[in-house]
Amino acid sequence: MYALFFQLVFRRMDAERAHHLAFRWIRLAARVPVLRTFAAALLAPRHPELRTEALGLRMHGPFGLAAGFDKNAVAVDGLAMLGFDHIEIGTVTGQPQPGNPKQRLFRLVADRALINRMGFNNEGSEAVAARLAARREVFRTTVGVNIGKTKVVPEGEATADYVLSTERLAAHADYLVVNVSSPNTPGLRSLQAVDQLRPLLAAVREAADRTVTDRRVPLLVKIAPDLADEDVDAVADLAVELGLDGIIATNTTIARDGLGLRSPAGLVAETGGLSGAPLKDRSLAVLSRLYARVGDRITLVGVGGVEDAEDVWQRILAGATLVQGYSAFVYRGPFWSRAVHKGLAARLRTSPYATLADAVGAETRKVTA
């Protein structure tokens, strides 16, 4: 049903316009009690065997929506209504910014992929913090907050910009993510270098602890799939050294590997970060490498090319406790999360593992044993 609707309506529209239209429908449905109750019953049935504990938090399951869909925390309950076990908002920057000029979002339908150069368009940390503070929870869900650097802030002042966002947002976040891996903010990815990343993460950790004194806000870092293997190892070692709570692997890629010959050359040539199915293999490889390096000492979140329950299962076996998706939401629609949960529960029942926690990292441990 959704596939037909996508072909007849969304595919004919500009990708960003279609996103805003779908987003508006989700928000409206969540505001009408009868609609949201019906939608949640239909789209978000719970599977007790998928309950997950991660980052000191209890969740209905391991599958969440990655940052980028709800940049300003305007539809947390609407997205929870669709069945996502956690929702990561953002990326939020210290100052509001419009992002890059349009057109900046492109669908590569034949390759089940997206290219975006959005440029962290968002209302800024002050406005987003106020919205989260005023939120009256309809559905209990885990809310992560992803923070990034304001484009106009010089690289040398990046730490202060992240700290500002942390001070404003930490109290409203179930967990915080430092995003240093988007390809669409000049100079951002250079912050992944360990000599720059160490003081940045330490400053954010200190700011979160200073701001929120009644609990410890989990802190994660999100890395790019384009890092060399030795740099992945260095970030893993740094995360353990600093006592980080987790690593999200991975963001979008500037590479164009894995694309078929079906997508128009003009689309493939668009600048920006590639997400979706072509990212699957590299993202999984980075995740496996991280787990081989850190084991169970920190939580790993797998994202990149996740399309169905089997992809989620493979990420768990590779070492992910939590798994996120985004691009496939565009192509699979509102029943996507339901299908993932149903398939994952069936996969667990036929596996040799009693719980999802038992399955985390099982395949990577076999390879590295």
Side-chain angles (χ1 to χ4, degrees):
M1 180 71 176
Y2 175 79
L4 179 61
F5 182 82
F6 177 86
Q7 293 293 333
L8 294 178
V9 180
F10 281 166
R11 189 169 181 173
R12 299 171 183 269
M13 298 172 63
D14 170 77
E16 189 169 353
R17 184 182 171 210
H19 170 90
H20 288 304
L21 179 60
F23 207 16
R24 190 175 301 117
W25 290 341
I26 292 169
R27 293 168 63 185
L28 287 173
R31 290 173 183 167
V32 180
V34 173
L35 280 179
R36 70 175 178 241
T37 300
F38 173 77
L42 178 65
L43 302 174
R46 300 303 182 190
H47 298 268
E49 63 269 41
L50 299 183
R51 288 175 184 158
T52 299
E53 291 193 15
L55 305 171
L57 305 167
R58 293 183 177 179
M59 307 182 197
H60 292 296
F63 186 56
L65 184 63
F69 195 90
D70 187 356
K71 297 175 182 296
N72 295 303
V74 297
V76 172
D77 286 303
L79 294 168
M81 175 187 72
L82 299 183
F84 294 105
D85 301 315
H86 65 275
I87 295 146
E88 193 170 304
I89 66 160
T91 295
V92 184
T93 54
Q95 302 174 31
Q97 57 185 29
N100 291 323
K102 299 178 181 180
Q103 188 178 6
R104 54 192 182 182
L105 180 63
F106 307 90
R107 292 184 295 248
L108 285 69
V109 178
D111 286 296
R112 308 187 310 282
L114 301 173
I115 291 175
N116 93 83
R117 51 173 180 264
M118 303 298 290
F120 290 169
N121 54 307
N122 75 104
E123 295 175 7
S125 56
E126 184 175 20
V128 174
R131 184 171 292 116
L132 287 170
R135 177 183 170 237
R136 294 188 176 182
E137 187 175 80
V138 175
F139 296 105
R140 175 67 188 106
T141 191
T142 297
V143 179
V145 178
N146 183 302
I147 58 175
K149 185 182 83 69
T150 306
K151 184 176 181 179
V152 298
V153 169
E155 190 174 325
E157 299 173 18
T159 294
D161 193 51
Y162 280 94
V163 165
L164 176 64
S165 292
T166 300
E167 291 171 343
R168 289 170 171 170
L169 291 161
H172 312 295
D174 289 316
Y175 67 86
L176 274 175
V177 181
V178 171
N179 185 350
V180 288
S181 50
S182 170
N184 300 316
T185 296
L188 185 73
R189 284 191 166 194
S190 64
L191 297 176
Q192 292 177 110
V194 168
D195 60 339
Q196 297 193 63
L197 189 58
R198 179 182 283 106
L200 170 59
L201 292 174
V204 170
R205 177 74 272 166
E206 192 277 332
D209 291 342
R210 183 181 67 251
T211 304
V212 184
T213 58
D214 61 339
R215 64 185 174 96
R216 186 179 188 276
V217 181
L219 179 63
L220 300 84
V221 64
K222 187 169 187 176
I223 65 172
D226 307 311
L227 287 176
D229 286 347
E230 57 269 25
D231 293 325
V232 172
D233 294 342
V235 172
D237 294 344
L238 178 64
V240 173
E241 173 195 328
L242 295 179
L244 249 60
D245 298 277
I247 300 174
I248 300 181
T250 61
N251 212 319
T252 59
T253 179
I254 57 174
R256 295 296 182 260
D257 300 335
L259 286 171
L261 300 177
R262 295 170 295 177
S263 293
L267 281 181
V268 174
E270 292 288 352
T271 59
L274 174 71
S275 62
L279 186 54
K280 190 174 301 189
D281 290 345
R282 178 55 185 167
S283 180
L284 183 59
V286 171
L287 175 65
S288 297
R289 189 174 188 91
L290 285 169
Y291 187 80
R293 194 81 174 184
V294 305
D296 298 320
R297 289 177 288 178
I298 61 177
T299 297
L300 299 179
V301 183
V303 58
V306 173
E307 299 185 275
D308 54 26
E310 185 61 25
D311 289 332
V312 175
W313 181 245
Q314 291 303 320
R315 301 305 167 101
I316 291 170
L317 293 178
T321 301
L322 300 176
V323 181
Q324 296 177 342
Y326 179 169
S327 297
F329 191 19
V330 173
Y331 295 113
R332 305 210 174 195
F335 286 88
W336 181 43
S337 182
R338 174 192 170 102
V340 166
H341 284 95
K342 181 179 179 180
L344 185 59
R347 192 69 181 81
L348 177 62
R349 286 194 296 270
T350 60
S351 79
Y353 310 107
T355 67
L356 285 181
D358 294 336
V360 172
E363 287 301 316
T364 300
R365 287 195 297 273
K366 286 180 185 178
V367 173
T368 57

